[in-house]
Amino acid sequence: MRKRMTFSLALAATVAISPAFAATFQHTASDVWIAKWFAMENVMNNGGFAVSGGIDYFAEGTGGDLTYEFVSTTKGLGDLSRAEISLDDAHAGLGMGEDGVWDWEVVEIDTDDSNNMSTGWGMVASDNFTWHGIIVMKAPSARSTTMHPAHDDYAQIWINGELVYDNDQWTGGVKTVTQPMDVDLVQGDNVVLFKCGESGGDDYINLHFEDSDSDIDIVPTEEGDFWIYAGLAVEARDKASTTWGELKAR
Ligand SMILES: [Ca+2]
Ligand SMILES: [Ca+2]
Ligand SMILES: [Ca+2]
């Protein structure tokens, strides 16, 4: 009896000490680019960036259930967690979509590598493919700020259901930004979807915000977790944004 009680107390202590919500979030600033993205396996044989830019691969792969606009909302992100994106076999190759389903994983891009859309997935530097990645920015307060994207070639970015950036001209360098864009962020979760279509030559994406945005927690975490933190936010989406702070503080 005594032995069992000791064991129980020890177990309780272990549970109490274990940080159930231990996470190191990513952050951004004027010189801090976001390296970890929740990304979909690349869509190969895209017909070039001009063609690819006009195609919603989420709609194509789900029979219209998902769209870029919808997935870039907290509700749409929840639906993405239960969906499969199945594209035509013609878009498979180099390990991408080989089983007919384009899976999502946390990938780390090298923010100094001008072929990071390829290399982030362990692909040899390639042509004619399209990259998709998502981050969730947990903002302690609503704000207007400036987003700084670099890309090669055609970048489109949605935030909270709205296309906020549409630029088919590559920026000329993996850390070169030609069109800084003013955007609004809400208090709580902001879903950012970055799509980039590559034709030839370099293939890269990159993104940072401002020094004044360094208070924003960004998912995926440094540990490479996405759904556990994005999912909490989705469940709590109708509640006050303090819910996230309370969960995080536990
Ligand atoms: Ca797959
Ligand atoms: Ca290329
Ligand atoms: Ca290119």
Side-chain angles (χ1 to χ4, degrees), residues 69 72-74 158-162 184-186 189-192:
E69 285 75 14
S72 64
T73 65
T74 52
W158 291 260
I159 299 181
N160 298 334
E162 189 184 345
D184 294 325
L185 300 179
V186 299
D189 289 346
N190 297 269
V191 182
V192 179

Side-chain angles (χ1 to χ4, degrees), residues 139-179:
S141 59
R143 70 199 62 198
S144 295
T145 185
T146 306
M147 169 179 87
H148 302 265
H151 51 89
D152 189 335
D153 297 279
Y154 184 1
Q156 292 159 296
I157 300 174
W158 291 260
I159 299 181
N160 298 334
E162 189 184 345
L163 180 66
V164 296
Y165 186 87
D166 189 352
N167 181 3
D168 66 2
Q169 297 297 306
W170 60 91
T171 57
V174 69
K175 288 186 167 172
T176 303
V177 175
T178 55
Q179 291 186 21

Side-chain angles (χ1 to χ4, degrees), residues 80-197:
L80 176 66
S81 73
R82 296 178 289 274
E84 268 191 0
I85 296 180
S86 306
L87 298 168
D88 192 282
D89 288 349
H91 292 303
L94 296 181
M96 307 283 103
E98 299 280 10
D99 62 352
V101 176
W102 272 254
D103 295 302
W104 291 79
E105 286 179 21
V106 173
V107 302
E108 179 167 13
I109 58 164
D110 180 342
T111 59
D112 291 308
D113 177 2
S114 59
N115 289 109
N116 66 24
M117 288 162 49
S118 296
T119 58
W121 276 100
M123 284 178 16
V124 62
S126 303
D127 296 335
N128 297 311
F129 70 97
T130 299
W131 187 96
H132 298 83
I134 293 173
I135 53 172
V136 178
M137 303 180 73
K138 297 171 174 294
S141 59
R143 70 199 62 198
S144 295
T145 185
T146 306
M147 169 179 87
H148 302 265
H151 51 89
D152 189 335
D153 297 279
Y154 184 1
Q156 292 159 296
I157 300 174
W158 291 260
I159 299 181
N160 298 334
E162 189 184 345
L163 180 66
V164 296
Y165 186 87
D166 189 352
N167 181 3
D168 66 2
Q169 297 297 306
W170 60 91
T171 57
V174 69
K175 288 186 167 172
T176 303
V177 175
T178 55
Q179 291 186 21
M181 186 63 66
D182 291 341
V183 296
D184 294 325
L185 300 179
V186 299
Q187 184 181 31
D189 289 346
N190 297 269
V191 182
V192 179
L193 167 63
F194 197 138
K195 172 188 181 184
C196 188

Side-chain angles (χ1 to χ4, degrees), residues 5-115:
M5 179 165 282
T6 306
F7 173 74
S8 299
L9 286 172
L11 185 67
T14 304
V15 169
I17 290 164
S18 298
F21 287 90
T24 312
F25 292 95
Q26 296 191 91
H27 293 99
T28 184
S30 60
D31 62 348
V32 180
W33 301 78
I34 297 159
K36 292 197 173 66
W37 289 80
F38 187 59
M40 188 175 84
E41 290 181 318
N42 287 323
V43 179
M44 310 305 292
N45 305 309
N46 67 0
F49 70 74
V51 172
S52 169
I55 298 173
D56 187 329
Y57 293 108
F58 296 178
E60 200 169 284
T62 61
D65 287 349
L66 300 182
T67 62
Y68 291 142
E69 285 75 14
F70 184 51
V71 168
S72 64
T73 65
T74 52
K75 188 171 189 308
L77 196 56
D79 281 17
L80 176 66
S81 73
R82 296 178 289 274
E84 268 191 0
I85 296 180
S86 306
L87 298 168
D88 192 282
D89 288 349
H91 292 303
L94 296 181
M96 307 283 103
E98 299 280 10
D99 62 352
V101 176
W102 272 254
D103 295 302
W104 291 79
E105 286 179 21
V106 173
V107 302
E108 179 167 13
I109 58 164
D110 180 342
T111 59
D112 291 308
D113 177 2
S114 59
N115 289 109

Side-chain angles (χ1 to χ4, degrees), residues 152-153 170 197-203:
D152 189 335
D153 297 279
W170 60 91
E198 150 72 346
S199 286
D202 287 348
D203 62 81

